[in-house]
Amino acid sequence: MIRSIKLKIRNSYEWLSLPIDSIKPPTRYVRRHSRRQITKLKKLNSHFGQVAPIIVDANQVIIDGHAVWQAMRELDSGEIAAVAVTGRSDPEIKALRLALNRLAIETAWDNRELRAEFEDLISLSFDLDLTAFDVAEIDHILELDLPKANVVEEQT
């Protein structure tokens, strides 16, 4: 279980273990999380525990990590790991919330490396549900059952 830790880093961030009920959602939800995503996060947190903290402001309002917070609440977790951002103005907090959410969607997968990761996990008989990818997505990444152009498949 997470223990209370207070560590100042660069005078504007503090690592905390907070009662989950003390955390407040932001007044505006600029991104929506599907039920499917929350279910996946619950499965991941049940298996691995909370491995990354959420980010909150000085008033314990979520800046980033709303879906993790929601999943942890649904798992009846008493505490949640958080990083508190302090000493920032309201406009800075709003900009940080937008930036963290925006930057996450600007990434791209390296399909060759992703395929290799799945192949490794499969060879180790690891539960692929814990990757948060759906079976159809994994099949597509592994190029299973994809028709090939200009290739005649042998009939057996």
Side-chain angles (χ1 to χ4, degrees):
M1 198 48 136
I2 301 168
R3 301 205 189 283
S4 293
I5 299 170
K6 290 190 177 185
L7 174 64
K8 292 267 186 184
I9 300 173
R10 294 192 212 175
N11 297 325
S12 61
Y13 304 97
E14 190 173 5
W15 292 78
L16 304 166
S17 179
L18 298 169
I20 201 159
D21 292 334
S22 71
I23 305 296
K24 302 168 204 79
T27 55
R28 289 192 184 111
Y29 291 96
V30 295
R31 293 191 67 195
R32 303 286 182 202
H33 301 287
S34 69
R35 171 67 9 219
R36 191 167 140 236
Q37 182 185 20
I38 300 300
T39 299
K40 287 178 179 183
L41 280 167
K42 285 170 58 176
K43 184 169 186 153
L44 292 174
N45 286 333
S46 292
H47 183 83
F48 295 110
Q50 184 190 359
V51 297
I54 65 168
I55 302 171
V56 297
D57 67 14
N59 297 313
Q60 297 180 352
V61 176
I62 298 169
I63 295 171
D64 190 52
H66 180 265
V68 171
W69 171 75
Q70 185 175 340
M72 296 291 285
R73 284 187 60 199
E74 291 181 17
L75 289 170
D76 294 323
S77 176
E79 293 182 324
I80 192 164
V83 172
V85 176
T86 59
R88 301 292 179 180
S89 68
D90 286 342
E92 287 176 311
I93 295 295
K94 286 176 187 266
L96 180 59
R97 182 177 291 119
L98 289 173
L100 291 173
N101 278 276
R102 177 67 177 118
L103 289 172
I105 62 175
E106 287 191 3
T107 61
W109 293 102
D110 180 322
N111 289 333
R112 187 175 50 110
E113 295 296 330
L114 183 58
R115 184 179 313 110
E117 286 292 311
F118 278 116
E119 289 168 349
D120 287 350
L121 290 171
I122 289 167
S123 72
L124 298 168
S125 300
F126 191 80
D127 180 2
L128 296 183
D129 281 346
L130 293 171
T131 66
F133 283 82
D134 295 323
V135 172
E137 291 173 308
I138 295 168
D139 287 352
H140 183 75
I141 292 160
L142 295 172
E143 298 180 350
L144 299 177
D145 297 326
L146 292 179
K148 306 273 193 248
N150 300 320
V151 174
V152 176
E153 293 182 14
E154 291 184 28
Q155 300 292 326
T156 57

